[in-house]
Amino acid sequence: MNRCVRHAAAFCLLLLLALLANATRVQIVSARGYAADPANRRADIALYARPRGDILAGTRRVTGSRSTDGQLRYVRSYTDGPLYAPVTGFASQTYGASLLEGTENDLLDGSSPALRERPLWQEITRARQRGGDVHTTIDPAAQRAAFDGLAGRRGAVAALDPATGRILALVSSPSYDPAALSGAGPSVTAAWKRLNDDPEQPMLDRAIRQTYPPGSTFKVVTAAAALESGEITDVRARTVSPDPYRLPGTDVQLTNEGAGCRDASVYDAFRYSCNTVFAKLGADLGSQDVVTQAELFGFNDGDLRIPPSVAKSNVDTVMSPDQVALSSIGQYDTTATPLQMAMVAAAVGDSGRLMAPYMVDRVTNHAGTTVSTAHPHLLHQAVGARTAGQLQMLMEAVVTDGTGTNAAIPGWVVGGKTGTAQHGLANAGTPYAWFLSYARPPGSGRAAVAVAVVVEDADAVRADISGGGNAAPIARAVMEAVLKGPAAGLSPPSGS
């Protein structure tokens, strides 16, 4: 081989090595940087080249994928979007994803390793697995009953299966259609601005992301603390409770909406929601007992996921006696999400057991094979079985002969608690109307469903607003929908 050929061969080899080195740099060393470059559209094009997996409520697909002529071929579509928006959230090509669309994104878009049927082959080929389907715990009938009951008024509903923690309904009102945010372009940008500027906050998931003063519904927690600590041993015995009651260390006189609360028993004070009795009871207990009991029901837990994150329901851990008194009737700085108050009702209705709430029952791949299943687990033993039985007696008296008669369901035993929470400067705002409840078959100590309802803008004059009048009928409709449905696994009691 002559000299020129050798030089040419060496030069070609050098070029080949340089090419290989550059390819290695591009594909391995710099790959992450190129992939993350906002100008790189390949990832988005690949992501939206196939339909997204669906979210289901019962057997119904409440999401879908719609083909377009754009470079990003498929956009998200929704069936009854406003009805299920507090569950699904949105999946947008422009603004990302929220709620289940966000937390289950890798399963829905097919990037989760759990969906791979042939992991080694897909790792070699880099082929994108088709998205899986997320099967929720939502009962469509209960969801519809809650949505129709709120009828566009600001508020929220949360319903649970006390035995498992399955979330049966999660509604926030007013709502919005997530389809308006699905694609890209000026119309999506305009919809995003309109929704975010709306003073009604339709994109706020009030059921899990908004906290409210729980008002008198918190008296369930206070009563539980008194019974568990031994401060109250006989709920029918008269208490020493002046009316009006002067808050400890202050000149503030606390009064009641109605008469008959002076020295009332816990049984009567609970039925008729006497603030003075429960405020004094909370002050006598002290902050430690009240806070400990509240935390056993789920308050002050900032790590709750269903799997979307849930706003922390709050009870201050350091309070003066007057602040404890106000907290014990659901005022001061005490706040709760509707889901939290549904958890309180569920624990009472299930012998004191508080199951961790969850909204995803199982996930299947595109072939229908189950790849993951939820496993119910105990979050806390909120109260003992004996205390739970006494709380059931109190809550059931509210419905049979108290402030919550609007929640009664023929043939079922219903327990409830009304609440009218003051708020605003000098409590001048329209009060929030609360109701929490459960329903159980006669003769059974375990409830089949638990519900919490809050109505922010109850359509009534201030003096007439109450949880029993505005929120209880909604709770009753949701419970009836669950009890009549096949998902409950129950037969109506005989004689109903």
Side-chain angles (χ1 to χ4, degrees):
M1 181 180 296
N2 61 39
R3 182 179 178 185
C4 291
V5 174
R6 287 198 304 272
H7 286 177
F11 183 66
C12 289
L13 178 61
L14 182 62
L15 291 176
L16 178 60
L17 292 174
L19 181 63
L20 291 173
N22 187 60
T24 301
R25 179 187 66 83
V26 169
Q27 296 185 25
I28 298 177
V29 178
S30 302
R32 291 183 182 274
Y34 289 132
D37 191 324
N40 181 9
R41 299 272 290 169
R42 293 182 63 188
D44 286 342
I45 292 171
L47 178 64
Y48 296 109
R50 285 188 171 187
R52 189 172 171 86
D54 286 329
I55 298 173
L56 289 82
T59 59
R60 186 183 188 192
R61 296 179 183 271
V62 299
T63 63
S65 295
R66 177 172 56 86
S67 179
T68 71
D69 295 329
Q71 194 175 41
L72 306 181
R73 182 176 175 186
Y74 286 98
V75 299
R76 199 53 147 166
S77 61
Y78 295 87
T79 302
D80 288 329
L83 174 62
Y84 290 101
V87 175
T88 63
F90 62 81
S92 172
Q93 294 177 346
T94 306
Y95 297 107
S98 67
L99 299 178
L100 282 184
E101 292 276 30
T103 61
E104 309 305 288
N105 185 63
D106 61 340
L107 293 161
L108 293 165
D109 70 14
S111 61
S112 172
L115 297 172
R116 294 178 179 174
E117 296 177 330
R118 293 173 294 174
L120 180 59
W121 175 250
Q122 287 173 313
E123 187 67 28
I124 294 172
T125 63
R126 300 287 183 177
R128 179 177 288 274
Q129 173 67 46
R130 289 178 59 182
D133 291 335
V134 174
H135 300 252
T136 71
T137 58
I138 298 296
D139 179 332
Q143 186 80 358
R144 173 59 72 181
F147 186 82
D148 290 348
L150 286 171
R153 293 174 292 175
R154 288 197 307 273
V157 179
L160 294 168
D161 175 357
T164 62
R166 296 169 64 245
I167 296 175
L168 303 175
L170 204 65
V171 168
S172 177
S173 178
S175 190
Y176 71 104
D177 189 351
L181 305 175
S182 293
S187 63
V188 171
T189 303
W192 178 262
K193 185 177 188 306
R194 172 176 51 80
L195 290 169
N196 280 281
D197 291 347
D198 191 332
E200 297 288 292
Q201 296 181 284
M203 293 178 68
L204 172 63
D205 193 338
R206 289 171 164 85
I208 62 172
R209 298 281 172 82
Q210 178 68 50
T211 60
Y212 303 87
S216 291
T217 60
F218 193 79
K219 291 171 184 173
V220 178
V221 178
T222 306
L227 290 167
E228 286 287 276
S229 68
E231 181 73 21
I232 295 294
T233 56
D234 181 359
V235 296
R236 294 184 182 271
R238 293 183 66 80
T239 61
V240 180
S241 306
D243 182 10
Y245 169 63
R246 183 174 62 83
L247 295 178
T250 76
D251 293 327
V252 177
Q253 298 283 347
L254 186 67
T255 59
N256 299 289
E257 292 289 336
C261 289
R262 184 186 301 274
D263 299 331
S265 67
V266 168
Y267 181 84
D268 288 332
F270 196 90
R271 280 194 302 153
Y272 298 116
S273 210
C274 297
N275 286 335
T276 52
V277 174
F278 279 90
K280 183 178 184 298
L281 185 56
D284 292 344
L285 284 166
S287 63
Q288 183 173 349
D289 282 349
V290 173
V291 171
T292 298
Q293 185 60 70
E295 290 180 344
L296 286 171
F297 276 115
F299 282 81
N300 293 342
D301 183 353
D303 298 323
L304 185 63
R305 304 287 186 273
I306 61 172
S309 61
V310 178
K312 182 176 74 171
S313 297
N314 179 72
V315 175
D316 282 5
T317 56
V318 179
M319 293 182 284
S320 60
D322 61 307
Q323 293 167 344
V324 178
L326 289 174
S327 290
S328 298
I329 58 172
Q331 299 291 339
Y332 184 52
D333 284 341
T334 301
T335 58
T337 62
L339 177 62
Q340 170 61 71
M341 297 315 294
M343 291 164 62
V344 171
V348 172
D350 194 36
S351 301
R353 299 188 324 140
L354 176 60
M355 301 299 289
Y358 65 98
M359 196 162 56
V360 175
D361 183 54
R362 60 193 175 95
V363 176
T364 57
N365 63 20
H366 76 282
T369 302
T370 298
V371 297
S372 67
T373 304
H375 299 286
H377 68 276
L378 184 71
L379 189 62
H380 299 293
Q381 183 69 41
V383 294
R386 183 175 183 277
T387 295
Q390 291 175 298
L391 292 173
Q392 287 181 10
M393 179 177 66
L394 295 178
M395 292 182 68
E396 288 159 17
V398 168
V399 176
T400 58
D401 190 28
T403 57
T405 55
N406 283 337
I409 301 173
W412 297 87
V413 179
V414 178
K417 184 68 190 81
T418 56
T420 306
Q422 311 291 332
H423 71 102
L425 184 62
N427 289 333
T430 303
Y432 299 137
W434 275 96
F435 193 75
L436 57 133
S437 60
Y438 64 80
R440 64 179 177 86
S444 171
R446 305 189 70 173
V449 58
V451 180
V453 178
V454 63
V455 181
E456 291 186 34
D457 52 350
D459 186 17
V461 296
R462 179 185 171 92
D464 294 337
I465 293 171
S466 72
N470 291 278
I474 301 173
R476 181 187 63 222
V478 174
M479 290 188 292
E480 286 180 323
V482 173
L483 297 173
K484 291 176 181 177
L490 296 169
S491 300
S494 59
S496 64

